[in-house]
Amino acid sequence: DHRDLHSFPTRRSSDLWGQSFHFANKFAGETFNESITRHEYYLAARLGIQPSDSVLDCGCGIGGPLRNLGRFTGASITGVTLNQYQVDRGNGLCAKAGLAPRCKLVKADFHKLPFPDNSFDHVYSIEACCHSPDRADVYREIYRVLKPGGCFVSYEWCLTKKHRDGDAQHLLSKKLIEEGDGLPDMMSTTHCDDSLVKVGFQVVETRDAALDPNPGGEAWYVILTPSFFNLFRLQFTAIGTFFINVFMTCLEALRLAPAGSGKVREMLRQGQLGLVMGGEMGTFTPMYYIHAKKA
C-alpha cells in the first residue's frame, strides 16, 4: 500500500538522519549538510521562486527542505505527507523557526491532492515520488494543481540505463533498496521521462545529477560506506553494526524501545547495502533531476 510506503522512510529519518533522508554529491570542502542544502537551493534557483509565490512540496516528510527553501526564498510553501506524526512534528518545527503559517504541512495523499486546479506557482519533490507504484498518477496530480506556465522540479530515485534485469548483482541491489526503504517496484529514468510527457508536461530538462562533474568531491553514496574516521559512518563497520545491534536488543529487553526495533534497524541496514551497491555499480541514482513545465 503506497500510503504506508511513502510515509515510512521520512518518519524514521526524523530520528536517524536529521530533518530529511536525502542524498547529494559532496563538493570538495563541503560538509554533508552543506551539500544537501546546496542541492535543495539548486531546485529553488531553477524554479526562480519569488517571495510572492505559492509553492507545493510533494512528499515533504517532516519538512526539512520546506523550511530551508522557505527561509531562502521567502515564498509560501505547503508540504504534503500521509503521516500525521510528520505533519505534527513538521508544523511544530515551522513554528519554532518562525516560519508559520507561511510554511506549513498538511496530511494528504499525493495521488489525490486536496487543492483546486491551478493552485500553485511551482511544485517540487525531493526523493519522494519513488514511494508511489504509479509515477504518472503522481505527475498527473502535480500537473493539475500547477498554474499554467508553472514548473515542476524533482530529484527522483531511479534505476539507470546501466541496470540489467539479467544481472544477479543488479537485481540484488534493486531488491535490497526496495525492501530496506519500503519502496514499490523501482522505475527507470526513461519511465520518468515518459510519464511526464504522458500527463501533458513539456520536458525542459532531465539528467542524472549524480554524474555531474565533481572534481575532488565525494559521490552521494560515500556517506553510507563504513569508516572508522567518521562518527556517522562508524555504524556501518562490522564492529559498529555489532554494538548497535546489541544496544538495540538491550533497549527492547528493557522496554525502552518498541518491540521489533532491532529488526527495523536490520532492514534499514540491508537498504544501506543496496544503495551502496547500486551507487558503486552506477545502476541506481537518488538524484535523477527532472524539470517540466505546464503550458
Side-chain angles (χ1 to χ4, degrees), residues 9 29 36 41 44 50 79 86 116 125 131 134 171-172 190 199-200 259 274 276 278:
I36 293 297
Y41 286 177
Q50 300 299 312
Q86 294 175 338
S125 178
H131 297 291
D134 188 344
L171 289 175
L172 176 60
T190 302
V199 305
V276 173

Side-chain angles (χ1 to χ4, degrees), residues 158-233:
C158 291
L159 299 174
T160 72
K161 293 180 180 179
K162 289 187 176 182
H163 175 82
R164 297 289 180 267
D165 283 337
D167 189 299
Q169 289 296 101
H170 293 185
L171 289 175
L172 176 60
S173 171
K174 177 178 181 290
K175 179 176 183 291
L176 291 175
I177 295 170
E178 290 170 348
E179 294 181 356
D181 291 278
L183 301 180
D185 189 32
M186 277 200 297
M187 305 300 180
S188 67
T189 55
T190 302
H191 177 85
C192 288
D193 294 345
D194 293 343
S195 296
L196 290 169
V197 174
K198 179 180 179 180
V199 305
F201 273 114
Q202 296 177 354
V203 177
V204 177
E205 179 188 8
T206 60
R207 75 177 194 279
D208 183 359
L211 302 179
D212 289 352
N214 186 22
E218 291 181 351
W220 64 268
Y221 56 84
V222 171
I223 190 67
L224 297 178
T225 58
S227 173
F228 288 104
F229 305 102
N230 180 290
L231 186 60
F232 181 82
R233 293 164 58 192

Side-chain angles (χ1 to χ4, degrees), residues 12 39 52 57 86 97 99 101-102 104 110 120 124 126 195 208 213 225 230 237 254:
R12 47 88 173 169
H39 203 50
S52 59
D57 182 332
Q86 294 175 338
L99 296 170
R102 180 169 57 82
K104 63 182 179 181
F110 58 20
F120 295 96
Y124 70 86
I126 302 179
S195 296
D208 183 359
T225 58
N230 180 290
T237 65
L254 295 171

Side-chain angles (χ1 to χ4, degrees), residues 23 162 293:
F23 299 100
K162 289 187 176 182
K293 184 176 182 179

